[in-house]
Amino acid sequence: MKSHLDKVMWFSVFFFFSDLPLWITAGLNIHNMMYYYIRDLWVHMLIIGIYYFVLDSPVKKRIIILIEIILLLIGILSILVSKDVPAELSSIYKLAVILAIFMHFHSIISELKITSLLNYPFFWISSGALIFSCGSIFIMLFYKYTINIQTPKIFIIYTHFLDIMGILMFIFIEIGFLSAKKKYL
């Protein structure tokens, strides 16, 4: 279990440091959308990739690999074809994360190995990733319909909401790390 938590820790480090350029460029009123799209793809692929190591089922591991390949192809093709990658693409990434999390929850429920769910670190980590993905999926789906040049206030609201979803995810990840020392089997 500790090696799985190491992967989550490295994901958290990547998330934070890859977010810094977005904060800096936003503060300078520079729209760095191509970097955002590439980072968004990698963030979601890393979240899904963690479940490859957490899941025990060979079938579910193959599904994770297939999801990763499909997301990578979709992401690369979208970036190569267009300078302006659609925001809906992020919704596809989030749906893939939700699928991986549901496969994990299905494993927890069907295998009945976990006797104390609230002490199981990946219950909290998965819950945080699920809140992040589900909470922000509608923003990405309706992004181009609600945001335009005349609505900068809505953009700020969306940005703050996405930040709150990220903060909630990391609060749940922290709870998962804190519960790692407790018995859950």
Side-chain angles (χ1 to χ4, degrees):
M1 177 57 70
K2 296 294 184 211
S3 66
H4 301 326
L5 290 177
D6 288 347
K7 290 169 183 56
V8 174
M9 191 260 322
W10 284 113
F11 161 76
S12 301
V13 169
F14 171 80
F15 190 96
F16 175 75
F17 282 109
S18 67
D19 213 19
L20 285 177
L22 292 174
W23 295 343
I24 293 167
T25 54
L28 298 171
N29 284 331
I30 299 170
H31 298 289
N32 197 356
M33 293 311 287
M34 189 55 68
Y35 175 78
Y36 173 79
Y37 291 130
I38 293 169
R39 177 193 175 269
D40 194 43
L41 172 64
W42 282 107
V43 162
H44 290 89
M45 286 191 62
L46 288 173
I47 292 173
I48 295 167
I50 289 169
Y51 288 98
Y52 175 83
F53 298 101
V54 174
L55 293 168
D56 292 331
S57 166
V59 172
K60 289 179 181 175
K61 285 181 180 258
R62 282 191 290 255
I63 292 172
I64 293 292
I65 290 171
L66 183 63
I67 291 170
E68 293 263 295
I69 290 169
I70 291 170
L71 286 185
L72 189 61
L73 289 174
I74 290 171
I76 290 173
L77 287 174
S78 297
I79 290 169
L80 292 176
V81 170
S82 173
K83 277 186 351 186
D84 190 28
V85 179
E88 293 88 355
L89 200 57
S90 184
S91 296
I92 294 170
Y93 303 155
K94 290 175 188 320
L95 285 172
V97 168
I98 292 167
L99 176 63
I101 292 168
F102 279 138
M103 285 192 309
H104 177 245
F105 283 148
H106 177 266
S107 294
I108 292 172
I109 293 168
S110 64
E111 294 172 8
L112 297 174
K113 291 181 184 176
I114 310 301
T115 58
S116 179
L117 192 60
L118 295 179
N119 291 335
Y120 179 53
F122 271 91
F123 167 75
W124 293 104
I125 292 166
S126 295
S127 297
L130 190 62
I131 287 171
F132 174 73
S133 296
C134 289
S136 56
I137 195 168
F138 289 110
I139 287 179
M140 294 302 149
L141 275 174
F142 301 112
Y143 184 82
K144 74 178 180 182
Y145 303 111
T146 56
I147 293 188
N148 57 41
I149 300 298
Q150 290 81 25
T151 59
K153 290 181 182 179
I154 292 177
F155 178 77
I156 291 170
I157 291 169
Y158 279 7
T159 304
H160 290 319
F161 183 77
L162 291 174
D163 290 341
I164 290 168
M165 291 293 104
I167 290 167
L168 280 173
M169 177 176 69
F170 283 108
I171 288 171
F172 276 74
I173 287 174
E174 180 60 26
I175 293 170
F177 277 111
L178 293 174
S179 66
K181 296 180 182 188
K182 298 176 184 175
K183 287 191 162 202
Y184 56 88
L185 292 179

